[in-house]
Amino acid sequence: MQNIKLNADIAAGILFILFGGWFCASSLLSLSFGSAFRMGPGFFPTVVGGLLLVFGVVIAINGWIAKNGTVDLAAVPWRAVVLFPVGLILFGLAMRPLGMGIALLVLCFCSSMAVKGLKPGYAVLLSLAVTAVCVAVFSFALGLNLPLIGDWLR
Amino acid sequence: MDIISNLALGFSVALAWHNIFFCFVGVLAGTLVGVLPGVGPLATIAILLPITFSMQPDSALIMLAGIYYGAQYGGSTTAILLNLPGEASSAITTLDGYQMARKGRAGPALATAALSSFFAGTVATVIIALFAAPLTQVAMAFRPPSYFSMMVLGLIASVVLAQGSILKAIAMVLLGLLLGIIGTDIYTGTARLNLGTLELADGVDFVALAIGLFGIAEILRNLESSQTREVLTNKVKGLWLSLTDFKRIIMPSIRGTAIGSALGILPGGGAMLASFAAYIIEKRVSVNRAEMGEGAIEGVAAPESANNAGSQTAFIPMLTLGLPSNAVMALMIGAMIIQGIQPGPDIILKQPGMFWGLIVSMWIGNLMLVLLNLPLIGLWVRFLTVPYPILVVSVMAFSAVGIYSASGTLFSMYELSFFALLGYVFMRLGCEPAPLTLGFILGPMMEEQLRRSMLMSRGDPTVFFTEPISLGFLIVAAAALVLISAPAIARKREEAFSEE
């Protein structure tokens, strides 16, 4: 991958503008603002969202002028960035129909594949071991009421 | 004497067998994560939060607190033996601690770290016991405007004392406030800002937010570089201090404890700042200052006592005012709220057993740490050889099961993924996630106090300036902001943080 460099301050500023703008706009549009005496549910989020938007603009302008602090996108661990959420969501999906054992195996395998240079065989062994420990700790030691085997397999 | 009966109550709670057990589990887990670089006390507390749901509130807090101060001990062990600070707060200990170890004095260095930490922990426990009750009395007299202004001051102070850009830190606080009020408006019952989902009606899942921001985001950052850790297996022998050594650590420990206790109370202070300040001051005033940096025992005693004292007095604003002074305290407050305890000055009246039990347990935990750490140092160091993939997979599995057991929904996995990625992006962009957590915890409380103040004053915002206590808080907050923006001080601040 090419070395793409990003100005950290501008990126952070834009992120804050988006968040602030969303909170501000959606509370203005759908929530009653009220008055200073009797504040409605929209008062606080509108004001704080507006403030965040202003800070975002200032941070972005600062970054444009100062140009310090760049982010190297090549350093981002892309495999983990994709595989961690995928593993977590598969875990959530598998929990009810397939049960905790299989859900954990899937999650563990996804997260071990996120580490660069790990052999698949080792990843499988590691997943089995961590799953066993988790089941032992959560189901037996702590006695949490999570289904070990899911609805579809019963 | 009031304080004696209070401490007696504390001992009766802390010495209950199950609380001794959870205190032990806490300090053990804390020491372990303190030794392991890459997994900090914040991530550990976040990951273990769901497990505490089924526990008694006092046991839950005793265990979580144990993780926090236990990590300070563990961090110093690796700092001394391997020149590798397990925690940021023991980074400065590497300077003299590792030099001592290289000269074959690893044993005395470890003993110094343990003893000065224990001394600081004991003093800090007494300080908490002495100051907590009077401070609570003061806080009870606060009216809504004063409360609101106090929270403003707390947030500003934590921003000023935190590392990195102040603008970004304030923006993170604001974002935290906004995320905190997602859900249902308590006054009108209106659903708000919930993206049309039912799952967000109770607000953003605090556990998912904490684990995402501190647990998984941290792992993503560590995965950027493939680490290879070399482990030196020094033989540690002769843990005992000579009489000269002992005399040399008395004054530095006392100074370190004083500095640490003072800085710990300040919002945003806590253990890391305390250890740096104590070392810098020791370098100025110590009789043996010429040796500092080349293996002076004072250079271990001062920062180690300071970081332990600081990590403990940080509990004072959390317990008495409901004001978290750092991200760990925000997690503790989150744990209390989940247990159904509303943080604030009336905790001491409503939950005296939990309050005093927690304080006394800190002293007992410190005692355990001394007894646990010195004989087991060889074992702890061996934990460094744990390959990183095992850690990654275990953290992911524990986080997922923990959150799922608490919420039971697929939606919490979306939340966890979202905050993990958001936390990583913010870290890369130089925005610390800690202020966001403080804002998240304080968001609903601030909105409520603001609305109450406005009802009280019939919509007149000048009430914040006419209430004397409130005005005082706001003046201090404004002064802190002005001071830190002054160019000369801003430069000094950058220097102080870049020394790490």
Side-chain angles (χ1 to χ4, degrees), chain A residues 6-9 11-12 15-16 19-20 22-23 26-27 30-31 36-46 48-49 51-52 55-56 58-59 62 70-72 75-77 80-86 88-93 95-96 100 104 107-109 111-112 114-116 118 122 126-127 130-131 133-134 137-138 142 144 146-147, chain B residues 51 54 148 165-168 170-172 174-175 177-179 181-182 185 187-188 190-195 216 219-221 223-225 387-390 392-394 396-402 404-405 408-410 413-414 416-418 420-422 424-426 428-431 443-444 446-447 450-451 454-461:
Chain A
L6 204 70
N7 182 317
D9 285 357
L15 210 54
F16 289 131
F19 271 114
W22 181 79
F23 274 103
S26 56
S27 8
S30 62
L31 297 169
F37 178 24
R38 283 186 198 285
M39 290 181 189
F43 189 97
F44 194 74
T46 307
V48 178
L51 267 176
L52 179 58
F55 269 91
V58 174
I59 290 168
N62 262 351
T70 52
V71 178
D72 189 355
V76 175
V81 166
V82 176
L83 279 171
F84 278 4
V86 167
L88 287 172
I89 291 163
L90 285 178
F91 171 86
L93 285 171
M95 202 67 185
R96 249 172 241 283
M100 185 161 99
L104 265 175
L107 170 65
C108 290
F109 188 71
S111 26
S112 55
V115 184
K116 268 187 206 154
L118 203 67
Y122 183 79
L126 180 59
S127 306
V130 173
T131 303
V133 171
C134 276
V137 169
F138 285 99
L142 291 169
L144 291 181
L146 292 171
Chain B
I51 297 177
S54 52
F148 181 81
S165 149
I166 295 173
L167 281 176
K168 285 180 186 169
I170 296 179
M172 291 296 271
L174 293 173
L175 182 56
L177 291 174
L178 290 166
L179 291 170
I181 57 157
I182 285 178
D185 174 37
Y187 276 70
T188 57
T190 325
R192 59 175 171 178
L193 306 165
N194 60 358
L195 299 167
I216 300 181
I219 289 183
L220 283 170
R221 190 166 67 170
L223 283 175
E224 284 180 354
S225 53
Y388 199 63
I390 296 184
V392 173
V393 176
S394 311
M396 290 296 287
F398 264 75
S399 312
V401 178
Y404 196 91
S405 69
T409 60
L410 170 62
M413 294 297 130
Y414 294 137
L416 178 59
S417 308
F418 174 76
L421 295 181
L422 189 71
Y424 174 68
V425 168
F426 275 134
R428 291 307 298 145
L429 298 179
C431 306
M446 274 186 94
E447 188 190 16
L450 175 68
R451 281 164 121 175
M454 284 305 164
L455 278 173
M456 238 178 65
S457 71
R458 307 194 162 273
D460 179 11

Side-chain angles (χ1 to χ4, degrees), chain B residues 127-148:
Chain B
I127 290 177
I128 299 176
L130 283 178
F131 282 90
L135 212 68
T136 307
Q137 292 292 317
V138 174
M140 291 288 220
F142 286 4
R143 300 201 309 155
S146 309
Y147 247 107
F148 181 81

Side-chain angles (χ1 to χ4, degrees), chain B residues 2 6 9 132-141 147 318-321 336 341-357 359:
Chain B
D2 233 14
N6 286 333
L9 172 67
L135 212 68
T136 307
Q137 292 292 317
V138 174
M140 291 288 220
Y147 247 107
M318 190 276 273
L319 284 171
T320 57
L321 309 172
M336 277 200 234
I341 299 170
Q342 193 54 44
D346 49 359
I347 282 188
I348 195 169
L349 294 177
K350 285 186 184 156
Q351 308 273 346
M354 187 198 83
F355 185 92
W356 294 103
I359 290 171

Side-chain angles (χ1 to χ4, degrees), chain B residues 148-157 160 170 470-485:
Chain B
F148 181 81
S149 304
M150 180 189 80
M151 288 190 260
V152 171
L153 172 61
L155 287 174
I156 297 277
V160 167
I170 296 179
S470 163
L471 180 66
F473 283 137
L474 288 180
I475 288 175
V476 177
L481 266 187
V482 170
L483 270 177
I484 208 72
S485 317

